[in-house]
Amino acid sequence: MHKSVSDLFAGLWLDYVSITPSAYKIHALLAEKTHSTIVNDHIALRTFDIEKVGLSKLAAHFLALGYEHKGDYDFSSKKLNAKHFEHPDANVPKVFISELRVKELSVQAQHIINQLVEQMDPSVVSDDNFLYSGRHWQLSNGDYTKLLLESEYAAWVAAWGFRANHFTVSVNDLNTIAELADVNILLKQAGFTLNTSGGEIKGGKDVLLAQSSTMADRVSMQFSDISQTIPSCFYEFAQRYKTADGEYYKGFVAASADKIFESTNAA
Ligand code: NI
């Protein structure tokens, strides 16, 4: 387990930008244009609901650093459970972890996923670097393609393993831009592609959280047989609104997250 939250997030960030070059560029662009130190609102992690690698195995790393479980989510069409975690120090990023309900997939897809996870040494889930250790199994392009036909999420976890799926710029902490819509304009002017599923902005003041995201970068993945260019990770942007008690809303909005998941769609 990590000694500090900052060590853990430093490891997660380095791994993330190594396969998401656009996030590195956007981070620099927003810092320069808005004269800000970029604050990370949250990260998201993905896994399968198999005992050996389930959500609780990932969450244990955060709980050990003082995080607390704050919310539960169900994404029925994508067959996912999710939880969010917050740290008592409000300056520390929130964490959103989801897991795919593997038994709701076809027998063929279940078989592929079980074979991947079986290749893993069960002890690695408690290694310091587990949350950014990537893939622990051999995967053929054929099996990746079969999973992709059924679940983009299953294919993503199979290909990328354990690492941050996205980081999130806190729009509230940008100095010279107040609105998410203006962040989106800046990004589009700079040539970045936004996820338009459910509209460029998901949510809004009415649900206390507005979110947008880039479409995932596309990078070359070496499979056990061939290599192919596939979606990696994306960058998210979040603007939070105050609740009736005057505090910023800290939760997530399931209807918006449902569309954000599609930022790693292959098509
Ligand atoms: Ni997110």
Side-chain angles (χ1 to χ4, degrees):
M1 297 292 172
H2 276 268
K3 288 189 189 69
S4 76
V5 169
S6 59
D7 282 355
L8 172 57
F9 277 88
L12 285 161
W13 175 257
L14 282 177
D15 170 70
Y16 166 75
V17 293
S18 75
I19 59 166
T20 320
S22 69
Y24 192 82
K25 289 179 196 153
I26 291 169
H27 187 273
L29 176 78
L30 290 177
E32 187 206 320
K33 294 272 186 193
T34 71
H35 311 286
S36 306
T37 300
I38 304 300
V39 172
N40 180 23
D41 179 87
H42 69 270
I43 61 159
L45 298 154
R46 296 176 171 186
T47 189
F48 299 122
D49 75 343
I50 295 170
E51 171 66 22
K52 200 169 165 184
V53 296
L55 194 162
S56 65
K57 294 291 198 296
L58 279 62
H61 290 259
F62 295 100
L63 296 173
L65 291 170
Y67 273 85
E68 294 162 6
H69 171 212
K70 294 286 186 177
D72 294 277
Y73 309 85
D74 171 23
F75 301 92
S76 55
S77 70
K78 293 188 172 63
K79 306 178 172 73
L80 306 172
N81 307 316
K83 294 181 192 289
H84 101 258
F85 301 84
E86 294 172 26
H87 195 275
D89 178 348
N91 298 314
V92 170
K94 291 169 275 295
V95 173
F96 184 91
I97 309 177
S98 56
E99 62 179 5
L100 177 67
R101 298 192 292 258
V102 175
K103 287 195 168 65
E104 295 182 18
L105 300 182
S106 71
V107 170
Q108 183 192 45
Q110 287 184 48
H111 181 68
I112 293 170
I113 292 167
N114 286 325
Q115 281 203 326
L116 299 177
V117 174
E118 274 168 21
Q119 296 173 46
M120 223 177 112
D121 175 345
S123 72
V124 301
V125 299
S126 47
D127 287 352
D128 267 3
N129 70 347
F130 173 63
L131 296 176
Y132 48 94
S133 61
R135 172 146 60 94
H136 292 264
W137 44 70
Q138 292 290 311
L139 173 67
S140 69
N141 183 259
D143 282 349
Y144 172 79
T145 305
K146 282 175 196 155
L147 291 177
L148 197 57
L149 289 171
E150 247 180 87
S151 164
E152 300 261 4
Y153 183 108
W156 190 92
V157 178
W160 294 108
F162 306 98
R163 59 205 336 154
N165 168 263
H166 60 269
F167 273 66
T168 310
V169 174
S170 168
V171 174
N172 300 75
D173 290 290
L174 296 176
N175 287 325
T176 60
I177 292 184
E179 294 297 323
L180 179 59
D182 294 325
V183 172
N184 290 348
I185 289 169
L186 185 65
L187 296 174
K188 286 187 287 181
Q189 281 172 346
F192 296 101
T193 306
L194 297 178
N195 172 350
T196 57
S197 176
E200 251 174 39
I201 294 180
K202 287 83 165 130
K205 194 172 182 184
D206 55 332
V207 291
L208 305 174
L209 173 63
Q211 292 163 277
S212 65
S213 66
T214 61
M215 286 304 286
D217 282 354
R218 302 181 70 87
V219 302
S220 178
M221 165 63 68
Q222 182 62 54
F223 292 98
S224 57
D225 40 6
I226 58 166
S227 63
Q228 187 194 348
T229 299
I230 65 167
S232 58
C233 304
F234 59 90
Y235 212 3
E236 189 183 310
F237 313 91
Q239 180 177 358
R240 293 183 180 273
Y241 296 87
K242 286 179 178 170
T243 61
D245 64 11
E247 299 287 321
Y248 280 107
Y249 177 64
K250 297 193 190 76
F252 292 84
V253 177
S256 302
D258 193 71
K259 301 299 182 195
I260 295 276
F261 280 119
E262 296 172 17
S263 306
T264 52
N265 279 9

